[in-house]
């Protein structure tokens, strides 16, 4: 066994990060949905989970997505404006443990000017900073080519910026795309 293989066995590389948005990927909205032309299905809260104070749109989140996300082999991280509420409401709904949360820095005038000029999403810079060179997947409904170009130019690791259609939320095709990209890990 080579020294490199022994080192990898003792110190495996960190898992890829999966930055996960809530509105759009998990809570479909903005129909008409191609998957649900008659309206979005709704789900009951998990047993013993009170729904008081909960966003009523949370009932659109398919609890079956939780095990599928956990099975990706990634370190899941909330990348959403839900912030800590994602752990209070969404994680238990999905059967997930409490996850790390990306806290969004205040944008500077320079950041806003760049976004206006380039179309860069306001999450892009903070997610690349949080990844700090680690491979990552970003699942969101607002990703554009400007974000992909910026990440390619400013991130040293592998990255998949996967746009989800907010009308449908995460689908089998989305999970297939994630699995294909993650196949090399």
């Amino acid at each position: 066994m080579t020294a490199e293989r022994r080192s990898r066995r003792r110190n495996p590389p960190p898992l890829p990060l999966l930055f996960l948005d809530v509105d759009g990927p998990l809570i479909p909205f903005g129909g008409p949905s191609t998957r649900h032309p008659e309206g979005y299905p709704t789900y009951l809260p998990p047993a013993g989970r009170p729904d008081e104070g909960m966003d009523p749109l949370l009932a659109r989140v398919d609890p079956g997505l939780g095990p599928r996300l956990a099975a990706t082999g990634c370190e899941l991280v909330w990348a959403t404006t839900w912030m800590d509420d994602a752990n209070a409401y969404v994680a238990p709904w999905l059967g997930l443990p409490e996850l790390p949360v990306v806290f969004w820095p205040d944008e500077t005038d320079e950041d806003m000017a760049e976004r206006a000029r380039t179309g860069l999403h306001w999450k892009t810079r903070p997610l690349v900073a949080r990844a700090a060179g680690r491979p990552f997947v970003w699942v969101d409904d607002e990703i554009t080519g400007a974000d992909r170009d910026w990440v390619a130019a400013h991130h040293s690791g592998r990255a998949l910026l996967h746009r989800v259609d907010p009308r449908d939320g995460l689908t089998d095709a989305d999970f297939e795309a994630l699995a294909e990209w993650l196949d090399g890990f």
Side-chain angles (χ1 to χ4, degrees):
M1 182 179 299
T2 67
E4 182 181 335
R5 283 189 73 185
R6 281 192 302 272
S7 175
R8 285 184 136 210
R9 288 181 75 185
R10 285 191 306 263
N11 302 310
L15 297 174
L17 298 165
L18 193 159
F19 294 121
L20 184 61
D21 186 26
V22 172
D23 296 312
L26 297 178
I27 299 177
F29 67 90
S33 164
T34 55
R35 289 179 39 207
H36 308 291
E38 302 301 317
Y40 294 110
T42 57
Y43 305 88
L44 294 174
R49 180 84 191 143
D51 60 359
E52 187 175 325
M54 179 181 75
D55 185 315
L57 293 180
L58 190 58
R60 291 184 183 175
V61 176
D62 178 355
L65 294 174
R68 293 185 78 180
L69 288 164
T72 62
C74 293
E75 179 182 332
L76 303 177
V77 179
W78 292 122
T80 175
T81 56
W82 280 62
M83 307 281 288
D84 286 325
D85 284 346
N87 279 322
Y89 296 104
V90 185
W93 189 272
L94 292 170
L96 295 173
E98 187 171 302
L99 303 176
V101 176
V102 175
F103 291 97
W104 309 110
D106 292 333
E107 280 191 300
T108 65
D109 290 341
E110 184 179 303
D111 293 337
M112 288 187 274
E114 179 185 25
R115 282 194 327 101
R117 186 178 70 256
T118 65
L120 191 66
H121 194 285
W122 59 270
K123 291 180 181 178
T124 306
R125 284 174 169 260
L127 293 180
V128 168
R130 175 71 178 262
R134 281 178 68 179
F136 74 88
V137 176
W138 174 20
V139 175
D140 204 305
D141 61 308
E142 297 180 343
I143 295 169
T144 68
D147 303 302
R148 289 183 182 90
D149 292 345
W150 197 91
V151 170
H154 295 90
H155 180 65
S156 60
R158 289 183 61 203
L160 172 65
L161 280 64
H162 185 76
R163 185 184 180 283
V164 172
D165 186 333
R167 296 169 299 172
D168 294 324
L170 281 167
T171 65
D172 290 343
D174 296 311
F175 280 101
E176 288 169 15
L178 298 180
E180 183 178 317
W181 188 83
L182 290 164
D183 194 35
F185 290 94

